[in-house]
Amino acid sequence: MLCHSFLSKTAFCLSSYVLLHASRKTFSNVKVSISAQWTPSILNDSSPAFSPGETWQDNRLFEDEKQATLFLGILDSIFLFSYALGLYLSGVIGDRVNLRYVLCFGLCGSAAVEFVFGTLTEWLHIYNLYLYSSLWVLNGLLQSAVWPCVVAVMGNWFGKAGRGFVFGLWSACASVGNILGAFLASSVLKYGYEYAFLVTSVVQFAGGVVVFFGLLTSPKEVGKDFRNHPVEPPAESPQAIGFLKAFCLPGVLPYSLAYACLKLVNYSFFFWLPFYLSNNYKWKEAQADRLSVWYDVGGIIGGTLQGLISDFMGKRAPVLVVSLMLAIGALVGYSRSPNDQVINGVLLAITGFFIGGPSNIISSAISADLGRQDALRGSKEALATVTGIVDGTGSIGAANEFGSMRACFKLGWMSVFYFFIVMTAGSIVFITPLLVRELRAMWTERRARQRQL
């Protein structure tokens, strides 16, 4: 029965973040259409068939698509900064309030905001920069409630044994959501970008309702622990760890800084890959949307295999460093991809394997390890807080992806890839002290086994 509970809770947590990332990916995949809608039809070929004067008066926000694209980049940064701030807060809240309530509030509230942003404003022909910016700040705050909570729920249901594989496989939910969002957006994009937002927001809201009525956040709610052993209700509720104390836990700061560098690269691909494929290779927007999913396919496989290997080794840092070193080579190779969709897709999958894989491991398995480490001395209410710190710091780094787009317009796409390589190397630098410590521990353990023999 508990095995069934494991599977059902995994499915609930998986579907929660799948739906969230599907809606997030929708915005990424319709940027070309939004940019065209916000500029005069005389300057673009993808705007609806209005007269130039009518288009200029009714929905003209920018003089050309370059300015519109820059504002879309600003919206990405606005979202990520508010998302980062929300992660620091929601992690603390998640350790103090029922995780099911926080999850439902984040999913349903975000779905409502996305409906207003992408669908209602277009139906009512409301085009206002301040309204778009305010809605996207609110969306970032609401979405930040989800990830710390789902990691905490998974940490409650699964012990440390096999955590790398389980979390590596489960953290593919983001990539699965990206794939789902790409296909949903491309399938209805011909009717208008507002219908892409409509479909994903409705599905996400329904998912939040299901989570509210169906999710059990811990095996203790059915009188068990994750090993299926009966447990007695505690006399007092465990005390949640303070934010500063969680930040000072061993490993939290270096992994947070490493994730800040890595998430910038990963989210730049997430937010701008379809635009890059359409802009650089002149492929149709729907083709670029579908091709971009290969990056996520690589991330799914990478996170699962690297998590399994780290479980087998009993260490995470060596696996991450090797993968990130290979990621630098993958970035160099992809930056020189020819104008061929098959070759581009293969290189995308390889790049996703070595960048998306480590990103998934840090944000899930390592966050759970840090939130359940021995330094907590019995406190069990730190997982959501630690997850919020790691992912929040990563999101602050990712928010600077707008700078990479400004560099693109000034210096060209190759400068962006050079920047990605530098950031990936930065991740390696921050993980190196942990790598040295884990290699020393492995050497000590090996020497101890040899003495026993």
Side-chain angles (χ1 to χ4, degrees):
M1 179 178 177
L2 197 63
C3 180
H4 177 268
S5 297
F6 280 168
L7 295 176
S8 63
K9 294 340 152 214
T10 302
F12 272 120
C13 292
L14 178 70
S15 61
S16 297
Y17 212 64
V18 163
L19 298 177
L20 200 71
H21 250 264
S23 64
R24 208 179 287 179
K25 185 66 173 176
T26 298
F27 179 65
S28 171
N29 284 2
V30 300
K31 280 181 175 176
V32 174
S33 296
I34 294 177
S35 177
Q37 183 71 359
W38 288 351
T39 54
S41 60
I42 193 172
L43 296 177
N44 65 74
D45 299 325
S46 50
S47 171
F50 298 130
S51 66
E54 182 183 356
T55 302
W56 185 270
Q57 293 296 326
D58 290 346
N59 60 325
R60 193 273 304 179
L61 289 174
F62 304 97
E63 294 181 357
D64 54 48
E65 290 194 32
K66 180 179 178 180
Q67 293 183 13
T69 302
L70 286 175
F71 178 69
L72 291 172
I74 293 174
L75 285 180
D76 287 337
S77 295
I78 287 174
F79 171 84
L80 286 170
F81 275 120
S82 61
Y83 182 71
L85 176 63
L87 282 168
Y88 289 128
L89 299 175
S90 62
V92 175
I93 294 172
D95 282 330
R96 291 163 172 79
V97 180
N98 190 302
L99 294 169
R100 181 164 55 90
Y101 299 155
V102 182
L103 263 176
C104 178
F105 179 76
L107 286 170
C108 294
S110 172
V113 170
E114 289 160 0
F115 171 77
V116 174
F117 176 92
T119 304
L120 192 61
T121 56
E122 181 63 24
W123 283 351
L124 299 179
H125 301 293
I126 300 173
Y127 305 100
N128 185 282
L129 301 182
Y130 299 106
L131 175 62
Y132 289 136
S133 300
S134 300
L135 288 172
W136 232 225
V137 168
L138 182 58
N139 190 34
L141 292 173
L142 289 168
Q143 290 203 13
S144 69
V146 177
W147 182 250
C149 294
V150 293
V151 173
V153 172
M154 290 292 293
N156 290 338
W157 281 93
F158 291 93
K160 187 172 183 179
R163 181 179 287 162
F165 172 73
V166 172
F167 276 73
L169 180 61
W170 168 77
S171 64
C173 58
S175 297
V176 173
N178 294 343
I179 294 172
L180 176 63
F183 279 105
L184 286 177
S186 61
S187 63
V188 299
L189 192 57
K190 59 185 177 182
Y191 303 108
Y193 73 82
E194 64 271 25
Y195 291 97
F197 281 102
L198 174 64
V199 171
T200 52
S201 61
V202 169
V203 172
Q204 181 181 318
F205 189 91
V209 174
V210 172
V211 164
F212 181 81
F213 289 104
L215 178 65
L216 292 176
T217 61
S218 170
K220 293 180 181 179
E221 294 185 13
V222 290
K224 302 287 184 179
D225 64 10
F226 60 81
R227 294 178 298 271
N228 201 19
H229 296 163
V231 294
E232 294 293 333
E236 297 181 358
S237 299
Q239 293 296 315
I241 192 172
F243 179 86
L244 293 178
K245 185 177 180 180
F247 207 95
C248 294
L249 287 172
V252 172
L253 181 59
Y255 272 124
S256 296
L257 294 175
Y259 192 48
C261 296
L262 185 58
K263 192 168 184 176
L264 185 151
V265 180
N266 195 40
Y267 264 52
S268 293
F269 272 94
F270 169 75
F271 280 120
W272 291 103
L273 182 56
F275 181 85
Y276 166 73
L277 294 173
S278 179
N279 179 270
N280 192 56
Y281 297 104
K282 309 305 178 185
W283 294 332
K284 293 181 179 180
E285 190 175 14
Q287 291 177 325
D289 290 347
R290 293 189 178 96
L291 186 63
S292 67
V293 305
W294 288 106
Y295 179 83
D296 296 296
V297 171
I300 293 172
I301 300 173
T304 304
L305 289 182
Q306 291 169 37
L308 182 62
I309 294 171
S310 67
D311 281 341
F312 178 77
M313 295 179 61
K315 309 293 179 184
R316 311 282 190 209
V319 178
L320 292 178
V321 170
V322 171
S323 180
L324 292 173
M325 292 176 66
L326 294 173
I328 293 176
L331 285 169
V332 173
Y334 184 69
S335 68
R336 290 165 170 77
S337 173
N339 194 343
D340 183 280
Q341 293 190 17
V342 175
I343 297 176
N344 196 287
V346 172
L347 292 175
L348 263 182
I350 294 172
T351 305
F353 183 95
F354 292 119
I355 293 178
S359 180
N360 290 343
I361 293 296
I362 293 176
S363 64
S364 58
I366 288 177
S367 294
D369 291 344
L370 296 173
R372 287 283 188 262
Q373 58 182 291
D374 296 336
L376 292 172
R377 298 178 180 177
S379 173
K380 296 298 184 182
E381 301 300 334
L383 213 166
T385 301
V386 170
T387 302
I389 291 172
V390 173
D391 203 21
T393 307
S395 296
I396 290 176
N400 293 293
E401 54 85 22
F402 175 62
S404 67
M405 286 308 302
R406 290 187 64 87
C408 160
F409 286 116
K410 291 183 178 180
L411 303 175
W413 284 107
M414 282 303 301
S415 64
V416 177
F417 285 102
Y418 292 142
F419 181 61
F420 291 167
I421 291 171
V422 172
M423 289 296 100
T424 304
S427 294
I428 297 175
V429 170
F430 288 121
I431 297 176
T432 297
L434 302 173
L435 172 67
V436 173
R437 186 179 68 186
E438 292 188 5
L439 290 178
R440 285 177 178 173
M442 292 173 65
W443 177 255
T444 302
E445 292 169 2
R446 182 179 179 183
R447 293 285 298 274
R449 288 195 299 265
Q450 288 177 343
R451 292 194 190 98
Q452 292 176 356
L453 295 176

